[in-house]
Amino acid sequence: MKENTRPNIKIKKQEIILRKASVEPNFTNKTVLTDSTWRYIELFLKKEKKAVKNDTALNYWKQAENFYEATKNLDILSKPLTSYYCFLNATKALLTYKGINFDTKHGVSGEIKNGQIVIQNEYIKLHPKGVLSGLCNYLNEPVKTIGDKPETYNLKEILYNLEYIHRAYILTFGQAELFVPVSNPRFVFDKIKKEGWLETQLEEQYSNQREFTKFKTGFSIDWLYSQNGLYTIRLNKKFEWEAPRNKPTDKSLKSFKNYYKNQRKRFRYIYSPNQLWYIKRKDLQGIIDRNTLSLTFAAMHCLSEMSRYDPDRLAKHLEKSCGWLLTEFINKSIYQFIDMISSEISGDDFRVTGFRT
């Protein structure tokens, strides 16, 4: 006998699912299949040629692509420099297109703590003015300061909070897993109560009470489902949803968009041919409550400074036990970052070609 399932919320005929973009996603657009988002975003920015800001955003985007292409041909000691300038210009393209004011300073600086050459001694400061600050403002996560002291983390702390290198981090340092893999995150509703919420399934190795207890803050098990094999869980927070014939009321749409804005940050994804979604836990030490884009930008700035001014120090880091972790970050972050920025600019989701969506 087939198990009951809750109905997806729909707008017209389109089922509404969790999207990659954190801000202003296009919920009703189909996934874009492409092996490179560079040309897609270029054409996207050219659509509104009458807007002067789009010309400027397009120039930043082209510069970012040039640094991206240059990075491919460099060795590991040089890659952080061009990768960072790729991130910098791609971020400027996003902020310019979205009309977010930003200071042209980088908005991030580094400080080395005396002692051993370890990533715990590489400190990164976030400043309230600059491109990184503009990105944080766009993501509704303003940079914090205590008096005149900037928000500060060390490189190890930041790398712990990046989902796309988390396995490498755990194998290097052995800390508790911060990200819990989930599948099929979707928005569902109760027609009688006129309420909606997000539900998802835990992967098999996490589908037990012991694992669920580790991250259950804000979540509960949905007992409509049998919970045999895979746990189906839901966010406790709900939104108003009334949509006769899949035409939501203005009040429902506003409620849903506010819900998405507030709850999207609990979820992370890894750039991949497959859909890889994760819940970020809240119950561990060392959690930084910031978007992956901001943390990736800050970490790459730290490595780019070493690459430019002190390559011997970077080389020593790469020779130590964390060398593989740093190599994974340097090589993988550029794909993750550009995929995320592309989604934020366009509102679309992207998948490489040759895979069924």
Side-chain angles (χ1 to χ4, degrees):
M1 185 174 180
K2 188 175 180 181
E3 187 173 54
N4 289 331
T5 58
R6 296 192 187 278
N8 274 76
I9 71 166
K10 294 181 179 180
I11 298 177
K12 297 181 181 180
K13 295 182 179 181
Q14 184 67 38
E15 292 186 345
I16 307 304
I17 60 174
L18 194 63
R19 308 290 293 205
K20 289 183 175 182
S22 296
V23 183
E24 296 183 330
N26 288 323
F27 290 107
T28 57
N29 282 11
K30 290 187 176 181
T31 299
V32 178
L33 300 179
T34 178
D35 294 326
S36 171
T37 61
W38 292 107
R39 209 60 56 230
Y40 182 90
I41 298 301
E42 179 181 338
L43 294 173
F44 179 89
L45 292 173
K46 285 180 177 178
K47 282 181 181 178
E48 300 176 37
K49 197 65 178 176
K50 60 183 179 181
V52 174
K53 67 177 184 179
N54 283 20
D55 289 335
T56 304
L58 183 59
N59 288 334
Y60 283 135
W61 187 250
K62 288 180 177 178
Q63 283 188 321
E65 183 182 12
N66 289 335
F67 284 117
Y68 177 93
E69 292 297 329
T71 302
K72 293 179 181 179
N73 300 317
L74 297 177
D75 64 18
I76 200 68
L77 279 175
S78 302
K79 280 185 176 183
L81 186 57
T82 51
S83 293
Y84 173 69
Y85 279 97
C86 171
F87 296 176
L88 180 70
N89 283 284
T91 301
K92 287 180 178 180
L94 167 68
L95 298 178
T96 301
Y97 174 70
K98 293 291 185 176
I100 306 297
N101 292 326
F102 62 93
D103 191 292
T104 54
K105 296 177 183 176
H106 293 219
V108 58
S109 63
E111 181 179 336
I112 300 171
K113 184 177 179 180
N114 292 332
Q116 290 182 306
I117 297 179
V118 291
I119 59 175
Q120 296 93 313
N121 288 336
E122 304 291 346
Y123 281 83
I124 300 164
K125 298 180 179 181
L126 281 55
H127 299 283
K129 290 185 178 181
V131 176
L132 179 55
S133 178
L135 177 60
C136 292
N137 290 337
Y138 165 77
L139 295 166
N140 300 304
E141 299 172 354
V143 173
K144 305 167 188 174
T145 55
I146 302 175
D148 59 350
K149 293 182 179 180
E151 188 176 338
T152 303
Y153 307 100
N154 68 50
L155 182 57
K156 181 184 176 187
E157 291 172 327
I158 289 181
L159 296 180
Y160 181 50
N161 282 265
L162 297 178
E163 62 278 6
Y164 57 91
I165 56 164
H166 198 58
R167 181 59 58 85
Y169 183 97
I170 297 303
L171 291 174
T172 301
F173 291 107
Q175 288 178 233
E177 291 187 14
L178 180 55
F179 300 96
V180 179
V182 296
S183 60
N184 194 30
R186 65 193 188 104
F187 296 97
V188 300
F189 72 101
D190 185 312
K191 186 176 181 179
I192 303 300
K193 295 182 178 180
K194 298 179 181 179
E195 295 174 337
W197 58 86
L198 188 147
E199 76 165 32
T200 188
Q201 286 184 317
L202 298 178
E203 290 196 355
E204 187 173 1
Q205 65 269 37
Y206 295 89
S207 289
N208 57 70
Q209 283 289 344
R210 180 174 176 272
E211 292 295 332
F212 176 66
T213 301
K214 293 179 180 178
F215 71 93
K216 68 177 184 178
T217 303
F219 290 88
S220 60
I221 296 171
D222 191 334
W223 294 109
L224 174 72
Y225 303 90
S226 65
Q227 310 302 345
N228 292 326
L230 300 178
Y231 273 27
T232 298
I233 64 171
R234 52 163 293 175
L235 278 169
N236 294 330
K237 295 285 187 180
K238 296 173 286 188
F239 56 91
E240 296 181 40
W241 190 254
E242 184 176 5
R245 297 183 179 179
N246 297 324
K247 293 181 180 180
T249 63
D250 290 342
K251 187 177 180 181
S252 293
L253 279 175
K254 183 178 180 180
S255 179
F256 169 68
K257 289 179 180 179
N258 286 336
Y259 179 90
Y260 183 92
K261 176 182 176 182
N262 292 327
Q263 303 303 322
R264 172 63 179 81
K265 62 180 62 178
R266 289 298 305 272
F267 294 83
R268 300 289 191 271
Y269 81 89
I270 295 178
Y271 170 76
S272 166
N274 303 311
Q275 290 185 338
L276 300 177
W277 284 101
Y278 298 81
I279 295 171
K280 187 174 182 179
R281 293 172 62 176
K282 287 187 171 184
D283 62 329
L284 297 172
Q285 295 293 321
I287 293 174
I288 302 174
D289 190 21
R290 285 206 167 276
N291 189 283
T292 298
L293 280 170
S294 306
L295 296 179
T296 300
F297 186 108
M300 191 59 80
H301 178 272
C302 175
L303 295 178
S304 74
E305 291 286 276
M306 277 190 271
S307 177
R308 183 176 183 181
Y309 298 114
D310 197 352
D312 288 346
R313 186 177 183 84
L314 178 56
K316 289 177 182 178
H317 277 299
L318 291 168
E319 291 166 2
K320 290 179 175 287
S321 59
C322 67
W324 178 56
L325 171 62
L326 291 176
T327 300
E328 287 287 286
F329 171 72
I330 293 167
N331 287 331
K332 289 184 176 181
S333 61
I334 198 164
Y335 302 107
Q336 181 81 25
F337 193 92
I338 294 304
D339 189 69
M340 295 181 77
I341 284 283
S342 297
S343 288
E344 294 299 337
I345 290 175
S346 65
D348 291 317
D349 276 18
F350 298 93
R351 294 274 299 278
V352 298
T353 57
F355 291 83
R356 190 185 302 275
T357 57

